Amino acid sequence: MTATPLPAAPAPQKDRSQERQKAMLAEHFARLAAAPETGAKVVYTFVPGNLTELLLSFDILPVLPEINALQSGMRQRSREFIREAEKRGHSEDVCTYVKCDLGMKLKGNVGPTGDRLPNPDLLLLSYTGCFTFMKWFELLREEYRAPTCMLHVPYQADGKVTPSARDYVVRQLREEVIPALERITGRAYDEDRLREHLRRSAEAEEDLVRVLRSARRRPSPIDGYFGAVYYVGPIFSSFRGTADAAAYYRELREEVDERVRLGLGPVTPDGPMGPERFRLVVEGPPNWTSFREFWRMFHAEGAVCVASTYTKVGGTYDEGFRHDPDRPLETLAEYCLGCYTNRSLPTRVDVLCRYMDEYEADGLLVNSVKSCNSFSAGQLLMLREVERRTGKPGGFIESDLVDPRYFSAANVKNRIDAYLQMIEQRRRGAGA
Amino acid sequence: MITAGIDVGSSAVKVALVEHRADGSRRIAVTDRERLRKRDVASVVDEVWARALATAGVTHADVAYVATTGEGELIPFRTGHFYGMTTHARGAIELCPEARAAVDLGALHGRAMVMDGRAKVLGYRMTSQCASGSGQFLENIGRYLGVALEEVGPLSLEAKTPERCSSICAVLAETDVINMVSRGIAVQDILKGIHLSMAGRIVRLLTGAQAKGVVLVTGGLAADVGLLEAIREEAAAAGATLELRAHPLSVHAGALGAACWGAFRLEKLRRRGVALGAAGAPAGAGAGGVG
Amino acid sequence: MVAPLNADQPAAAGAAPLQALVERARALSEDVQLEAVRAWKAAHPGRIAVGSLPVWAPRELIHAAGGLPVGVRGGGDGVEVVRGDAYFQSYICQLPRSTLELALDGSYDCLDGVIFPSTCDVIRNLSGMWQLLLPGKYVRYLDVPQSLREDLGGRFLEHELRTLRDELGQLAGAPISDDALRASIAAYDAHRRAIEDVYALRAATPWLAPSWELYLVLRAGDVLPVEEHTAMLREYRELAAASGRPMEDQARVVLTGAFCERPPLGLIQTVERSGCAIVDDDLALGLRFIRGDVAPPPDEDPLAALARAFLARGRRCPTMFLPDDAGQAKGEALVEDARRAGAEGVIFAAASFCDPALLDQPMTAKAVEAAGLPSTSFKYAENTGQFQPIREQTGAFADAIKIWSDA
Amino acid sequence: MRCFVGIDLGSTTTKAVVLDEEGAVLGRGITNSRSDYDVACAVAQREALDDARLTLARRALPALGRGAPDEVLTPAAQEALLRRLEQRFRLAQHLVQLDLLGAEVTAELPAVERLFPGARLGPAIAQLLEGLRAEAPAQFLGGELPRTFFRDLAASQWARGAQAAAVPGERPYEALLGAFDKAILKVEGRLFDLGLAAVVGQAVGDLVEAGEIPGGRAGHVERALAGAVAAPLEVAASVGTGYGRARLPFPKERIRSEILCHGLGAHIMFPRTATVLDIGGQDTKAIQVDPDGIVTGFQMNDRCAAGCGRYLGYIADEMNLGVHELGPLALSARKQVRISSTCTVFAGAELRERLALGQRREDILAGLHRAIILRAMSLLARSGGVKAELTFTGGVANNPAAVAALRQLVREGYGEVPMNISPDSIYTGALGGAHFARRDVLAGAAA
Ligand SMILES: Nc1ncnc2c1ncn2[C@@H]1O[C@H](COP(=O)(O)OP(=O)(O)O)[C@@H](O)[C@H]1O
Ligand SMILES: Nc1ncnc2c1ncn2[C@@H]1O[C@H](COP(=O)(O)OP(=O)(O)O)[C@@H](O)[C@H]1O
Ligand code: SF4
Ligand code: SF4
Ligand code: SF4
């Protein structure tokens, strides 16, 4: 499902924050490439429910296979990687993130910067919001013969974090995850270091939320979907809890504040967006293989995405959650339990309705991706519910994350155009 | 001794008569093929069957075993039935003894099989429900483009910048093609693009079945040189080490294979002391003629 | 091409009772609208009927609440899906569509609640859809642990089961007692044994208990009280064993992957008619999930026993993670099952778009291959109407096994 | 006079509607969509304009009914005259296209013969063309005008003739068909100009001969008619819509989504429309509109084209029937076979499998139609359900079995909901487009 592109690809904003993020990533991948020499320990793990602060406290380098998949999609390599996985017997039907990552591994495991990624010392299976993650690491385990450590995060079926679920996660952290990390690093768990990272996380989270919320203004200074996938990058991946990330978000926040002061709209890869004509809330992940083309279908029509759920898969900070250095393991457990796709469908509907309201959106657009049952199963009902509750029209398009076979530009554009024209016609009345 | 194979496909009926000599050698006596063109299957079968017998100069009673394959299970005068992949594998070995895999590309389905030198099927893959990229599809596209089936291959070989179809669905792909024409894309490039998409699927079948070495293309599309080339390219791109071949009799592989298995079966039964009546005696119990 | 599908009739003398039993099972297995459940409720006023989706749900708890556990497994090829389709994109499996169709057309009104066991994202999200579409109905998403350690997963499962037990007690109007739970566990232990006995008969002599028939008998268990179903299974075993049906020369295969969405009966018949005898399968995985008896010693808490049995003897099927220290590699369990049943090959049959089954398959297939067993795979949907491609495939598979069996 | 044009470039057919100043429909035109979109549009528009001229002729005729008793043209004669005019016109067009076909086939011959060594097709082709030509007058001047496009009409005649003429080796069937397939594309790409005026004289002459028009009036009638059909039509504005709209030679503001056009078109035809179901060649749309014809919500089928019009096309091909014959055949079913897969491409395979199982063709067809409508029902449910009134549009609304299945399923799911179907339902999108064109101009004039 998850995570964020390298800003090396189409850059939405040639700002200082952008440059900083680029440098952070380059440095991270350089460290990964050097891991075989430096002996740094490498853990593969997932974005939703990632335990970055804990890993950092052990000086472990995280690799996020989801981001590999995403980057492969953006670099137009996914077709070949998916083909490689299907060649090994994988079905056309299943999640293409898995196949794309697997295919990349089979083709030499060369990451987005052109360096070979190091093999994992541990597969840390934090299994949040999606069952496919389990299969994914079972498959990687066969490839790498690396030990796997499971962190089972129960589902928020009733829309709230139950004490039993939290205790279960905390105990697993204490009795399974931490011992596994101690084993591979040969170091002892250092709770003070963890607290320090968590404190920085909370700082960055505060700034991120402010940036995301800026879209409540008219015109919105940011695109809360296409643009925001870049903004959530550091916090969703290997940087949450680092000083770099804190600095990045401080800078980003200042930049966005400046745009607000100047009354500017979002910047797109094709330059500043024209006048804001439509404000949309978007549910579902974007398509990476035709990301720019996809974005253009919106901004060319003056449609800005003011809020999105995809940017909450790695944490629902705008709902008030912050990492709490005073309750280190509990806060990590609550973080995992609270990720967007781990929430019950009724809760997801509530979130969307709230967005529609708070961001004064004209409508809800669902991009339903074939890969991801976790997101997609039930979206049509969610759409109906949001339409019913808000009285605003819903739109529905289908694509995929990284499988170019499932992105038909003509088809998607046809639907988006019809949807926007409908909003326009409704707004103007019969004369349109 | 003569055995016969009748392969009832979705677009054509194929008949092969094979003569087995006492020394164990074999000779392909006759192969014949008639396109169904929406005619009643039974009457087409009767027509080709009679024609094949006449060509060989034999009568029905001279045929020791009539083996059906494909959708031929209901042919009343069959002795036994073998499934398509069983017969195509056998036919491929008959036509090309070095082949260790075959890919049968017919009007609706594509299927890949891997076998050993005795035609024992070791693994196979078939196209799934979604039918984009079948021979039928190619025919439809050809009609849109005003290109005869026989021209499709040579034209595709001339392509310079192939244009891939985006759609996974054959229906939507047809529209894609119209779109391409309207954008002024050359017929050659369109055909090659379609061939490449088809080839991608076919290579996935082959690699999925773990084919290696010599692969014989059987079925009607074996005559499409453009598709063969596209498969070679896609296989190379996918890093698969396949040596693709076609045989002039490729389209008859199923019928040939059936005729050969018929003889094999007959031998097995004889050894067991079971005598078959004249050809035309009702087939034994069970759907498969083997066992 | 093939004879009409319902042409199969038990052959030999003494066929009448067998035929009657099979016809009864057929009627029950086609009862997707739950007429039998309605009848049961009418005959047992005040008692509850609670449905559960595949794979594993603790039916023992429902039973102990005096309730009727009901298998909710979609509409098969028996319902026309309209509203169900309205809520699902084309790339999602069929089961939730027909299930929702039945829920929305009132067929499930006779259910007092539905349990959604942790299986996959589709069923997980379906539990939320249920909450939105059928407000006021009891819905329980049952998370099962992916940690096999008793102090971790065990404690969590026990807590989940305890919540369920309390809620079911409330639904039924009286708390569930330990004694009742013990009795229910005993009833299900008997049921598990009866199923294993039938499976054993089929594995030994598949021609006596053809799979299409066994399949009907198993499916009847979705709506029958467990005691009745146990009796039916036992009776079926006896009648089938004595049926005197002639031996058939078929390839012996294990069918796997079809643990959730039910394949249509015609598919099972197609596989058999193309020359394969199914000697083991996971068609009733939920009922066979825990191997062996659960019955706790008198001094043990029955709920804890249930949780422990799940951890220790639950199947590591595709919906469960296989931990590093499980003592078995991926697919080894399947190979063992195949060996035990004397299978000559494995057929992977997964529902289209079923992530758990399909993502598992390459790994298990590799293990199967390493064990020297041939395998083949296809996808189906519960309402698949075209069997021709499947027949070609399983037919070729059977051909290969049979042609070369004595070579 | 000023008129407004809407063009709906569909995946299967291209439709055009011409409106007059008041918004009344003057004419409609339809052709099969082809790779040259410009030609498709031009043909559809030209047909619609020709049809508009027929309407103008119809409007002019009553004047001929006035005057001295022995001079008047009775209403029956007026009708007959109009009909004849149309028949003559269609025949003339057909003959022009046959000429084009003949020329193209002949030009393609060497290329085709090269593909089939030993084949000599010339004489057979000449004979085939002759046959087509000979059949033409009866086809057009008899009763009902053929409802198929030139391509389809000629193709089926050609196939029949080729089957009869084929001799393996010498004149292979495939070669004869191949020559046609190549030529027809060229013919379709050619625009030809043939005004109605050219056939006025013939039509009048026919009626004089038949004794419907007094010989002495012929000149007068001819002049009046020629004047009417020659009236200048000025296209004030056009709006394009449909699947291929992005490629229409129109500026962006003259392009509207199909959804809006179908919504408005349905509203104009049936003002109480609340829900629109449109089943076209490769998509199905369920649209909700408010009492002003403004779209409030819609759903379209996803990327799979299962269950759309093309599906029926494949089935018809498989059965060797025309699409318009499927519905009536399905209606004669005694029972319905349940069909689950509506995958277009496998439709043929499923059909064969069912036939082989001994099921009747009619019963299978009935099941297929129900299956298509079932999918549409899901889409309707997705879009918010069926509300009164329901208007069924798109080409498949021409199919009586689809209509019957829809009626039944709507009744089952939603009770008695009034349902509108117009014989012109295939033009709904173009009609909506034409109204947008008119509104744009009127709004511009007001501003
Ligand atoms: N000369 C040819 N060139 C290219 N394709 C051909 C040629 N002849 C036949 N075909 C293709 O082969 C297909 C038929 O193959 P066949 O194996 O007979 O199919 P089936 O067994 O399904 O009837 C046709 O759909 C056609 O596309
Ligand atoms: N006269 C007719 N009788 C029955 N069906 C028809 C008729 N005309 C068209 N159709 C059906 O309508 C479909 C085309 O519909 P149309 O609305 O023109 O589609 P599009 O807008 O995509 O081109 C055809 O595929 C066919 O199934
Ligand atoms: S199913 Fe969705 S959440 Fe799960 S791995 Fe795939 S894309 Fe990610
Ligand atoms: S068939 Fe597979 S994907 Fe569908 S509900 Fe069952 S387990 Fe989930
Ligand atoms: S996408 Fe096309 S080929 Fe695939 S199932 Fe749908 S209609 Fe059939």
Side-chain angles (χ1 to χ4, degrees), chain B residues 130-132 168-171, chain D residues 303-306 342-345:
Chain B
C130 213
S132 49
I168 44 154
C169 166
V171 180
Chain D
R303 302 218 39 232
C304 170
T342 43
C343 165
T344 312
V345 183

Side-chain angles (χ1 to χ4, degrees), chain B residues 128-133 167-173 201, chain C residues 90, chain D residues 302-308 311 341-347 375:
Chain B
S128 57
Q129 179 76 6
C130 213
S132 49
S167 295
I168 44 154
C169 166
V171 180
L172 302 174
R201 288 182 164 233
Chain C
S90 60
Chain D
D302 57 26
R303 302 218 39 232
C304 170
C308 300
Y311 173 69
S341 131
T342 43
C343 165
T344 312
V345 183
F346 269 109
R375 277 186 70 97

Side-chain angles (χ1 to χ4, degrees), chain A residues 39-43 54-61 121-122 177-190 193:
Chain A
K41 295 297 171 194
V42 175
V43 163
L54 186 61
L55 297 179
L56 290 173
S57 75
F58 280 95
D59 286 324
I60 288 171
L61 293 174
D121 297 292
L122 178 76
V177 178
I178 291 176
L181 298 178
E182 288 178 334
R183 235 179 352 260
I184 61 159
T185 56
R187 289 213 208 161
Y189 167 56
D190 179 346
R193 275 192 76 185

Side-chain angles (χ1 to χ4, degrees), chain C residues 106-123:
Chain C
S107 295
Y108 294 158
D109 287 355
C110 58
L111 298 180
D112 298 276
V114 179
I115 301 172
F116 295 80
S118 155
T119 306
C120 67
D121 295 316
V122 173
I123 287 184

Side-chain angles (χ1 to χ4, degrees), chain A residues 135 138 141 148 155 368, chain C residues 91 143 322 324 330 353 360:
Chain A
K135 296 286 123 188
E138 281 183 348
R141 176 174 59 191
T148 326
Y155 184 56
S368 165
Chain C
Y91 49 76
D143 226 328
L322 188 76
D324 294 359
K330 247 355 245 189
F353 304 107
D360 223 49

